[in-house]
Amino acid sequence: MLSRVAENLYWLGRNLERVENISRMAEVSYFASVEAGGLDADPQLWDAVITATAARQRFEEARSAQPDVSPAEFLLLSTENPNSLRSTLNYARRLARELREHLSGDVWEEINRVYLEVRRTGSVGGADMAEFYDSVRRSIAAIFGLLDNTVQLDEGRDWFRCGIFMERADMTSRIIDAKSYVVLPAGQEVGGSIDRVQWTSVLRSAGARQAFRMTHRAPPSGPAVAAMLVLSERFPRSLRFCVRAFRRHYEGATALTPPAASVHVSRELALLDLDLSSLDERRLGDERLHDFLDTFQARLIEIDEHLHEQIFRLIPVSVG
């Protein structure tokens, strides 16, 4: 497979997974803001989502130029924000169009359908926003299922899956870390009712609320939520699960790649997997959690850089 094709499949997986995550996080903030009195009743409700999508600086710049800019509009539909749901989906569709011969007609049609649906959405304040969020997530789930069931299970599929799990690991870590940007109201203590509500929002943003309730009898707390979303071997959005899945698909994708090229990422993934397996849960306490997540994100960036330098930029471009 050409390295250019492998790279595009990897980024297609990453961007589709990102669309799903943005939709889920935005839905949580949307309903919280509606309960608070409206989309603009408490802008802080959107701060964690904007932080998790690495769009804070651009949002501040946009707000300086246009003070009444809505954080929901900026996050979901803005064409000026390259990290918005619409911009991310636009990029995914462009990649899919270049990859038409590597995708089934069903996959392409579903990507095109959700792209047109988002493009037709004119505002983020309508009564049908709940349906919008649900439709976007269902479309992404359908795309993932269709690709597994209508496309040959070869190295291209493994590269696509590598992109999904890289993005999922990165976004889950950002969802947890963004909690540190949500300040407890004056008079509220860590572990209190407001803190539990905020950690419940983290679970909902990661699609983990039901899984947590099935495995924990106590109300959500920082250490318990962090432990599940970081260390669980069975929850498919935990950091540990994602790293292991990424590692497995990477081995399949590079089966025909020269070892001298693939070993760098393999080594980093193995070390990261080992470190997560031996992690002391006490490091996930509120005081140490941010430092751990910051280091984890830096290691993912390093793996991604190795991937592009050692695999996708190979000369000659054929790796199999």
Side-chain angles (χ1 to χ4, degrees):
M1 174 173 286
L2 296 178
S3 59
R4 174 181 53 81
V5 173
E7 181 178 16
N8 285 348
L9 285 164
Y10 170 79
W11 278 107
L12 178 62
R14 287 203 67 165
N15 280 275
L16 290 174
E17 175 69 20
R18 190 174 301 173
V19 168
E20 198 273 348
N21 279 280
I22 293 173
S23 175
R24 188 180 300 279
M25 291 187 294
E27 182 180 36
V28 173
S29 293
Y30 171 78
F31 283 113
S33 61
V34 169
E35 292 174 2
L39 285 180
D40 299 319
D42 186 358
Q44 188 185 55
L45 292 170
W46 292 90
D47 283 354
V49 190
I50 291 174
T51 299
T53 57
R56 175 162 296 278
Q57 181 177 348
R58 290 182 182 274
F59 178 63
E60 295 297 337
E61 293 172 354
R63 190 158 55 181
S64 296
Q66 186 180 351
D68 61 344
V69 63
S70 163
E73 186 82 25
F74 179 80
L75 180 69
L76 293 173
L77 302 179
S78 173
T79 56
E80 302 299 322
N81 175 15
N83 297 321
S84 72
L85 186 147
R86 171 175 283 176
S87 297
T88 303
L89 187 56
N90 287 351
Y91 181 47
R93 182 178 179 271
R94 289 200 300 270
L95 289 172
R97 186 166 52 192
E98 295 180 16
L99 293 164
R100 285 291 299 274
E101 63 181 283
H102 299 276
L103 305 174
S104 67
D106 289 337
V107 171
W108 164 250
E109 288 174 8
E110 188 62 28
I111 291 175
N112 205 46
R113 190 198 67 77
V114 67
Y115 161 80
L116 293 174
E117 178 183 356
V118 172
R119 186 177 180 182
R120 287 193 296 266
T121 302
S123 67
V124 296
D128 57 349
M129 283 308 296
E131 183 179 348
F132 169 81
Y133 293 124
D134 186 63
S135 178
V136 169
R137 290 201 311 275
R138 287 180 180 273
S139 289
I140 300 301
I143 292 166
F144 290 167
L146 286 168
L147 195 134
D148 277 349
N149 290 282
T150 64
V151 176
Q152 185 168 303
L153 303 184
D154 56 10
E155 63 180 293
R157 184 258 190 180
D158 280 319
W159 281 122
F160 180 80
R161 284 284 169 181
C162 282
I164 290 175
F165 286 109
M166 167 62 92
E167 184 65 28
R168 188 174 295 178
D170 180 62
M171 192 59 77
T172 297
S173 70
R174 292 179 182 275
I175 288 171
I176 305 169
D177 198 26
K179 169 64 170 67
S180 63
Y181 290 88
V182 181
V183 180
L184 283 172
Q188 295 293 329
E189 297 181 355
V190 172
S193 59
I194 301 299
D195 191 48
R196 290 197 297 272
V197 168
Q198 292 177 350
W199 281 110
T200 298
S201 294
V202 171
L203 288 171
R204 292 175 61 192
S205 295
R209 185 181 182 186
Q210 183 174 354
F212 183 88
R213 294 174 64 182
M214 293 176 65
T215 55
H216 295 74
R217 294 186 178 181
S221 65
V225 172
M228 177 180 176
L229 293 181
V230 171
L231 298 177
S232 174
E233 296 183 70
R234 303 181 64 181
F235 183 64
R237 292 184 178 274
S238 78
L239 305 189
R240 190 174 186 182
F241 187 101
C242 289
V243 168
R244 288 188 173 180
F246 184 8
R247 186 180 178 188
R248 182 175 66 253
H249 287 294
Y250 177 76
E251 290 173 355
T254 58
L256 300 177
T257 302
S262 63
V263 68
H264 302 281
V265 173
S266 293
R267 180 174 58 243
E268 295 301 323
L269 284 172
L271 289 172
L272 186 54
D273 188 3
L274 181 62
D275 288 345
L276 286 172
S277 299
S278 59
L279 181 65
D280 186 341
E281 287 191 21
R282 288 175 295 184
R283 285 197 62 193
L284 302 179
D286 289 340
E287 295 181 359
R288 303 183 182 182
L289 185 57
H290 173 71
D291 290 339
F292 163 76
L293 293 171
D294 195 49
T295 299
F296 179 83
Q297 291 163 16
R299 293 177 74 173
L300 287 186
I301 291 172
E302 184 177 0
I303 290 171
D304 184 74
E305 290 174 349
H306 280 308
L307 192 62
H308 286 80
E309 293 171 2
Q310 304 297 329
I311 302 295
F312 298 148
R313 298 295 178 262
L314 274 178
I315 300 176
V317 294
S318 178
V319 297

